[in-house]
Structure formats: C-alpha cells, structure tokens
Amino acid sequence: LRQLTKRLSIFTKYEMIRTDFIEQQTNFEALRPGTSDNTTGKLQFAVTYDRRDNFGDPRRGYYAYGRTDFGQELNGGSLFYKIQTRFGYWYSPFERLTISNAVRGLFDIPLNNKQIPTQELYFLGGDDTIRGFKYQDLNPAGGNIGLIDNLEIELRLFKGFQIVAFLDRKSTRLN
C-alpha cells in the first residue's frame, strides 16, 4: 500500500491461492462441470480515492475504488482478467440522519477459451453483498458479471445507538 496523497492510495500484490473442494463441505451440484482442485496466481493493482469526513462513521463525502487482477490457473488452465469498481456516497441532511449509497461493478473476463475458476466467480449473500442471506444463497453457481447496490438510511438516536434501514439490490450473470 502506498499513500500518494492524503486521499489517494495505490496498492499492488501478487498472491497464489490453492483451492481444494472438500467433498463433505462442497455443494457439487451447484458447481460447474469441470470444476476441480487448483492453484491460481493473481497480480492485483488497486487505486482508492477517499473524500469521506470520517473513515469509521462517515456522514458526508464519497469513496471511489478500482481494482484489476490478472490471473491464471498454474496448471495451464484458465487465464483471466478481473475488474472491480466501487463508488460510495454519504450525505447528512440533518445532524442525526445519514443517507448512503454504494454501487459495485464486478467483471471477470476470460482471456483464453477456458472457463474462469469457480473460486474466482462472484457469489451473492452475506454481510458484504446482500444482507439477510447466507453467503452463496442467492446464486450458488456464481457469476462473472455483477452489479450490487446498497442503500442505507441511518438515524442516530443517541451516542452509540443507531437505527439503520437498508435496501440491497443485485444482479449477477454467468456467461
């Protein structure tokens, strides 16, 4: 991580990930044909621009993030490119009320004629995508194109106590 200015940061890393599908813990019916254990290497580049007034409890401002990954299964399998974008906006019309919206775009692009590894697809459900559902409950087969929108209205009743209403919308597709 390198902070270029007070608000602008860049990040790069290389990672290798070994994925083993354990029979007792994997829903093989939901997996695509040809899915198998594999090792994937990825080179990631990311940039962040943050204009929020507070990192932990923002009330106004915006946040923009873009990330790209170049990846390959190390057994000579899939070669792929991933793009992830996020934009969040916070607005407080009154001292105790904050309205926020975050939108994410997710894209996996195969660079050869092989399918993208299952663990690189996008899955919905859980705290980070569609709240109120378990991870992978909404699309157990995954998707390589996705759009997620999270809208929140937060009312601060007194110090340390808030009521939050939210609406999460999603769309994923497997090409």
Side-chain angles (χ1 to χ4, degrees):
L1 177 67
R2 171 134 182 147
Q3 192 165 348
L4 299 177
T5 69
K6 180 180 176 184
R7 304 202 182 273
L8 182 66
S9 300
I10 60 172
F11 173 80
T12 186
K13 77 174 180 178
Y14 179 80
E15 66 181 0
M16 286 179 46
I17 301 169
R18 175 70 185 164
T19 303
D20 294 312
F21 294 97
I22 301 169
E23 287 187 37
Q24 295 83 6
Q25 299 174 2
T26 303
N27 180 0
F28 284 98
E29 293 174 5
L31 295 178
R32 296 177 299 159
T35 298
S36 63
D37 298 346
N38 61 52
T39 302
T40 304
K42 289 194 302 189
L43 180 61
Q44 300 175 350
F45 299 97
V47 62
T48 302
Y49 188 74
D50 194 345
R51 296 278 308 181
R52 295 175 291 181
D53 62 343
N54 184 306
F55 177 80
D57 186 20
R59 301 196 181 179
R60 69 179 84 77
Y62 61 91
Y63 170 87
Y65 170 85
R67 177 175 135 186
T68 183
D69 299 1
F70 295 96
Q72 180 174 16
E73 287 181 286
L74 298 182
N75 64 357
S78 179
L79 180 65
F80 57 92
Y81 179 65
K82 297 175 71 122
I83 300 169
Q84 298 181 29
T85 61
R86 295 180 192 169
F87 182 79
Y89 182 76
W90 289 260
Y91 172 68
S92 290
F94 310 106
E95 182 179 338
R96 295 181 178 266
L97 180 70
T98 301
I99 301 167
S100 65
N101 193 46
V103 177
R104 286 181 273 176
L106 313 164
F107 309 93
D108 282 351
I109 303 162
L111 297 177
N112 58 8
N113 291 331
K114 300 182 179 178
Q115 71 182 14
I116 293 170
T118 299
Q119 73 274 11
E120 295 296 332
L121 297 175
Y122 301 108
F123 296 93
L124 298 178
D127 295 342
D128 191 35
T129 59
I130 307 299
R131 293 165 279 193
F133 294 89
K134 292 180 185 175
Y135 177 67
Q136 291 185 328
D137 267 6
L138 296 175
N139 65 335
N144 65 329
I145 298 172
L147 182 65
I148 300 169
D149 182 31
N150 306 109
L151 175 67
E152 291 185 3
I153 299 173
E154 177 183 315
L155 179 63
R156 285 177 274 302
L157 297 179
F158 50 88
K159 185 174 177 137
F161 188 78
Q162 306 159 345
I163 294 176
V164 178
F166 61 86
L167 172 65
D168 297 333
R169 297 181 294 168
K170 60 86 182 174
S171 175
T172 57
R173 207 169 98 185
L174 183 60
N175 283 348

